[in-house]
Amino acid sequence: MPHTRTRNPSPIPEVTWDSGLKEMNETWKGAVACLGVAIFFVMTIGIIYWQVVDQPSKNWILKGSFSGLIWDRRTHSLIIQTLTEDKTFVEIDVGNFPALEVSFVKNLCWLNKTEFCYTWDSIADLKISLESEYSPGTECYSIQWIPLHCQVDFKDCFSMDNISWYGGAGVRAQNWPINNVNIALQPFVVSNLRNNPTGFGSVLERYFLGSSGVALFIAQDIPVHISIDSRKHFCLQTPLSTELVPLQYMVCVGNNIKTVHQEVGSQLSELPRELPNTHILRLPFWKLLANADSGAKVERELRTFFNRLKRHKLEEGVISINEHSTTILSDMDHESFYGRKKSTLRHIRDLPHVKLLNISISLSPYTSVDTRQFQTSLQEGREDYWLSLPSKTDGYLAPLLTRWKGKFSVKLNITNHAAVNWFLDKVSSLQAKLGVEYITLEGGEGNPFTEQALEPPKTLAGDEYISLFAEIAAKIGNSSIITAGTRSNHLPLFVRMSPLQSDWSYSGIKGIIPSILHYSLLGYNFFIPDAVGGSLSSEFVTDEELFIRWLQIATFLPVISFRTPPWVCGDRVLNLTRSYILRHQDSVVPLIIQYAEEWVSQGRPVFRPVWWISPDDPVTYTIDDEFLIGDEVRKLYSLQLLLGKSLFCMVLVAPVTERGEVQRDIYLPGSEYQWMDTNNGKVFDGGTLLENYSVPLEEVAVFQRRSS
């Protein structure tokens, strides 16, 4: 029987099929695995290349109508630019923050196109919002860094590259702009520059203005330290604290520096602005250096000094006495002072002269511990009238000791209403007793708590004392004078400028115009400048040229003040003093009063930098030896009377501040205007630099603006 083989339906033997399939599976698995590894490797390299090389270093994180905020991951900077990227408003370096190696381009507030949020776990939160409450020509970015634990501090630095910065706080050697200033990191509060010459002094606001059209507002109620590194940047930094201290500020940008200041800078105070007693403007201030130990001697020196002023035809003015002489007069017997005792017939004979004197007295919130006032307050249980510390054992208040003018003293507790009323009653009584109107309140600067490394009460943190002290001054009257201001430019007060050296440096005469512009930019238009020739020295000024050039600047300021009597420098100086006082009264005072009304209604400064006319002209950004009064082209009749012709309102003042010079370079801004020299009638086109322009010692260069 033949063997019949069963047919395999598959063309491939079964055993061969099975083994081939297994071999193919293993081969393809390896190939696929290798391919996957290769693809993963290529993707990884691509991602790394994209992140490190190919990814743009700048990312838009917020956009407004004409500007936007960019994050530059390479420089760790926030940059505000126009949307067309043809103009940079400001660059803010935040590179000290430890976790910025990770680019924060992911917006946690993506649902809101006007906000950007980011969080670093357990470190900090960042929130940026685009504000739209200002005019269409201005956009503001609110930036807030919030720490999530106490060891985090923030430091944001604002670049000075191609930007001139103004504002902030006064310094010993004032510069305009502040780019050339060097200030070590320190609390941003007002200091007494006599005691702390490297600190911030006199007038301070948390407002900076940049020439690119940028304005910076720092949150008021948050402590901040500031440093200025000349020609590089200025930095905001949160202080070390056991509390969580945020860094919060707002940056506003506009078309140019003038636009942004008018739109947002003029709103430094939201309260209505009031004018002080403008009658003071006509009165020169004469500082009496009385060296007396009794009221009778002070009164005699006052009458003697008044008679000298009268003999030299300078009797119209205010005689200013210091706090020591004020204290002596206040302790003097009232009837004796006014000549009402039978034994003081000579006082009665001189009474008309005494009563005609305009006297400015000086007071402070300090009381020496060896005075009867302080001892009585302790006996009557009024320790809380003074800044005090509670005892750790039995809880009684211990007044905090400090030094004021060389004596151990205590300082008025300005948060105690009873203490404030007591102080106001004391001032009112003294005014009635001495018959005085003008009062200088000094000593608001300085915090006895921080001076002794103690934590102050929250009600007195930072510069709160200065602000509250200014409010007390306003209650006394609109003829009050304060020596420091912050958040008080709306009050009807005068601010006395910091004392200057008797020399030709920025600590002396060169610092006057930068200080004028600084004060006025921050809203303090009614200031009393330092005495002609400077007052830091204990000696009279004997440099005739310095006295004359200083007097010429002071003529165009709100008040002219003297410490060195002009007759000390000879007849030439005496005659010039009379002439410039008359010029101040007849032409400058009406001009200031007119533009004071504009400041009240619109917040525009009375004394203006040269860039006010040409805000897009870079030449004007660093001019620190010229200034403008006024702006609008209007006729002023007092100037017509002075020069005998129809004149326009705005004036440009260009004094000489270099020793031995009788010529100087003068830049006339505004190509659309013409300028007339009021000394010789010559007319020049705006946008012109007058090189080596003649300004003899007895003249000051003043130009009147005219329409072309």
Side-chain angles (χ1 to χ4, degrees), residues 332-344 347-348 351 433:
M332 183 180 180
D333 183 273
H334 189 189
E335 292 185 354
S336 174
F337 183 80
Y338 283 103
R340 294 177 182 173
K341 289 187 175 181
K342 294 180 180 180
S343 60
T344 55
H347 287 182
I348 294 176
L351 180 59
K433 181 177 181 180

Side-chain angles (χ1 to χ4, degrees), residues 550-558 560 580-581 583-585 588-589 592:
W550 204 303
L551 172 64
Q552 289 168 347
I553 300 174
T555 298
F556 293 88
L557 304 185
I560 306 177
Y580 277 110
I581 289 177
R583 185 175 186 180
H584 173 264
Q585 293 172 336
V588 178
V589 170
I592 293 175

